[in-house]
Every structure is written in C-alpha cells, then in structure tokens.
Amino acid sequence: MGAGAAFALLFPCVQGCSKDGDEPDGTIKDEPTGVDFTVDLNSPEAADLIENGGYILKNDVVVARNLEGELIAASQICSHQGYDQVRFVSQNGGIFYCDVHGSQFEQDGTPLNQVDNSPAKVLKVYNTTLTDTVLRVFE
C-alpha cells in the first residue's frame, strides 16, 4: 500500500515537474508580412471585438477594439524575442503586452519598457479600415 500511495503522489509531479520552469509558453515565429485580411464584425470570430478592450488573434495579428472603441491591429509576434504571445490588455490606457518576458507597447507600437537589458524594438502595427461591418487589416 505504501508503494502505491507514493507512486500516486510522485507520478503527477514527474510529469508536471520535469518541464523546465524557465521555458516560456508560446512559439518563436517571424513577424507576419504581406498582411491583408478581413474580419466580418458580425461573425462569431469577431465576438470578442464587441466590447472596448476586447481582441482576437488572426493570421499572427492581434486585432483589438481599444478602450476608446477604435479598431487597431499589431503583430502577435513580440519584437523582443519573437514569441507569439502579444495580446491587448486594458491597462495604462490600453497597451499591447507580451507575457513571456513582460514587453509592453503603446498602441502605435512604441516600446514602453526595456526587457532583459535588450534594446527596445518597435512592435509592427497594421492599418485598419472599416467598411460597413467588414474590417480590413493590411500593411
């Protein structure tokens, strides 16, 4: 019985604890190029864009409705080390944020902080135009 109980307690930790705790989530990718796509704001994929502060991810791009209600878009690929973890967050007036190393960017892509003593790099921001209920995101 003692060995069985020890196995039951140890086995989950062997699986969960064997991963290097310093390994960030996400995938390293290149910044998207040739971006040109549309989102129908009435479609289910755009449901999170209804509220100010909401965002969706499409084609490695974060499409967001900022806190003022404007539709904006930026690369989902962080300019710090290339992880695909950039999201829009409703802090500091609404910023793009990568949770891998804590990089923060203004809505125009300007870096707000320096991470790991590396020089700040601008986050790629894309153009948006709205025609009726169709949002176009493009370079």
Side-chain angles (χ1 to χ4, degrees):
M1 178 78 174
F7 180 78
L9 293 173
L10 180 62
F11 183 71
C13 189
V14 169
Q15 286 184 327
C17 300
S18 64
K19 183 179 176 186
D20 179 6
D22 293 334
E23 185 177 314
D25 292 332
T27 303
I28 295 176
K29 295 183 174 182
D30 291 328
E31 180 179 90
T33 59
V35 169
D36 194 353
F37 63 86
T38 59
V39 177
D40 183 346
L41 298 181
N42 289 331
S43 70
E45 81 170 324
D48 289 334
L49 294 174
I50 293 171
E51 299 290 326
N52 291 359
Y55 70 88
I56 63 169
L57 306 175
K58 183 172 180 173
N59 301 342
D60 290 328
V61 173
V62 180
V63 180
R65 184 175 296 274
N66 69 15
L67 302 181
E68 292 77 34
E70 301 166 336
L71 292 161
I72 57 175
S75 174
Q76 182 183 331
I77 313 306
C78 186
S79 61
H80 173 238
Q81 288 189 349
Y83 284 95
D84 63 348
Q85 295 299 302
V86 174
R87 306 295 188 261
F88 185 81
V89 295
S90 298
Q91 66 186 44
N92 300 329
I95 61 170
F96 291 104
Y97 175 77
C98 179
D99 67 0
V100 175
H101 297 110
S103 297
Q104 300 176 20
F105 305 90
E106 294 276 3
Q107 293 179 31
D108 66 0
T110 303
L112 289 169
N113 63 341
Q114 185 169 330
V115 180
D116 298 335
N117 297 319
S118 64
K121 299 174 190 168
V122 174
L123 183 69
K124 175 73 175 175
V125 173
Y126 301 99
N127 299 307
T128 60
T129 58
L130 183 61
T131 305
D132 296 323
T133 64
V134 177
L135 177 69
R136 180 180 175 211
V137 178
F138 61 100
E139 289 188 72

